[in-house]
Short mmCIF file of all heavy atoms in Angstrom, two decimals:
data_model
loop_
_atom_site.label_atom_id
_atom_site.label_comp_id
_atom_site.label_asym_id
_atom_site.label_seq_id
_atom_site.Cartn_x
_atom_site.Cartn_y
_atom_site.Cartn_z
N GLY U 44 9.80 15.21 13.39
CA GLY U 44 10.56 16.39 13.77
C GLY U 44 11.87 16.00 14.47
O GLY U 44 12.71 16.85 14.78
N GLN U 45 12.05 14.64 14.86
CA GLN U 45 13.21 14.20 15.51
C GLN U 45 14.33 13.85 14.50
O GLN U 45 15.49 13.59 14.95
CB GLN U 45 12.87 13.11 16.43
CG GLN U 45 11.78 13.36 17.47
CD GLN U 45 11.94 14.74 18.14
OE1 GLN U 45 12.93 14.92 18.84
NE2 GLN U 45 11.01 15.62 17.92
N ILE U 46 14.02 13.71 13.25
CA ILE U 46 15.03 13.41 12.26
C ILE U 46 15.79 14.73 11.90
O ILE U 46 15.20 15.65 11.45
CB ILE U 46 14.39 12.82 11.05
CG1 ILE U 46 13.73 11.51 11.37
CG2 ILE U 46 15.48 12.53 9.95
CD1 ILE U 46 12.94 10.89 10.18
N PRO U 47 17.15 14.70 12.08
CA PRO U 47 17.88 15.92 11.66
C PRO U 47 17.73 16.33 10.14
O PRO U 47 17.77 15.34 9.32
CB PRO U 47 19.28 15.51 12.02
CG PRO U 47 19.18 14.31 12.96
CD PRO U 47 17.91 13.70 12.58
N LEU U 48 17.54 17.53 9.96
CA LEU U 48 17.61 18.08 8.58
C LEU U 48 18.92 18.30 8.05
O LEU U 48 19.75 18.91 8.75
CB LEU U 48 16.86 19.38 8.60
CG LEU U 48 16.71 20.12 7.29
CD1 LEU U 48 15.90 19.33 6.25
CD2 LEU U 48 16.11 21.54 7.43
N ALA U 49 19.16 17.74 6.85
CA ALA U 49 20.59 17.89 6.24
C ALA U 49 20.44 17.73 4.74
O ALA U 49 19.60 17.00 4.26
CB ALA U 49 21.57 16.89 6.85
N GLU U 50 21.38 18.39 3.99
CA GLU U 50 21.48 18.12 2.52
C GLU U 50 21.98 16.72 2.37
O GLU U 50 22.75 16.25 3.19
CB GLU U 50 22.35 19.21 1.93
CG GLU U 50 21.82 20.65 2.07
CD GLU U 50 20.57 20.77 1.16
OE1 GLU U 50 20.51 20.10 0.10
OE2 GLU U 50 19.74 21.62 1.64
N GLU U 51 21.64 16.13 1.22
CA GLU U 51 22.02 14.79 0.87
C GLU U 51 23.25 14.88 -0.10
O GLU U 51 23.41 15.76 -0.85
CB GLU U 51 20.97 14.01 0.34
CG GLU U 51 19.82 13.68 1.28
CD GLU U 51 18.78 12.84 0.73
OE1 GLU U 51 18.77 12.57 -0.48
OE2 GLU U 51 17.85 12.43 1.48
N SER U 52 24.11 13.84 0.04
CA SER U 52 25.16 13.72 -0.93
C SER U 52 25.48 12.21 -1.20
O SER U 52 25.61 11.46 -0.28
CB SER U 52 26.45 14.37 -0.34
OG SER U 52 27.61 14.06 -1.15
N ARG U 53 25.48 11.92 -2.52
CA ARG U 53 25.78 10.67 -2.92
C ARG U 53 27.21 10.37 -3.34
O ARG U 53 27.51 9.36 -3.88
CB ARG U 53 24.83 10.16 -4.11
CG ARG U 53 24.74 8.70 -4.33
CD ARG U 53 23.55 8.22 -5.03
NE ARG U 53 22.49 8.48 -4.14
CZ ARG U 53 21.09 8.21 -4.48
NH1 ARG U 53 20.85 7.54 -5.54
NH2 ARG U 53 20.16 8.54 -3.64
N ALA U 54 28.05 11.30 -3.09
CA ALA U 54 29.47 11.17 -3.48
C ALA U 54 30.00 9.92 -2.93
O ALA U 54 30.01 9.68 -1.76
CB ALA U 54 30.21 12.30 -2.99
N GLY U 55 30.74 9.13 -3.78
CA GLY U 55 31.42 7.93 -3.32
C GLY U 55 30.48 6.66 -3.21
O GLY U 55 31.03 5.66 -2.83
N TYR U 56 29.23 6.77 -3.39
CA TYR U 56 28.41 5.68 -3.21
C TYR U 56 28.48 4.48 -4.20
O TYR U 56 28.50 4.81 -5.47
CB TYR U 56 26.82 6.00 -3.23
CG TYR U 56 25.95 4.83 -3.23
CD1 TYR U 56 25.80 4.15 -2.07
CD2 TYR U 56 25.17 4.54 -4.39
CE1 TYR U 56 24.87 2.99 -2.07
CE2 TYR U 56 24.37 3.47 -4.33
CZ TYR U 56 24.23 2.68 -3.16
OH TYR U 56 23.39 1.63 -3.19
#
Side-chain angles (χ1 to χ4, degrees):
Q45 306 313 299
I46 299 178
L48 175 65
E50 294 294 326
E51 296 183 351
S52 173
R53 193 155 300 182
Y56 170 75

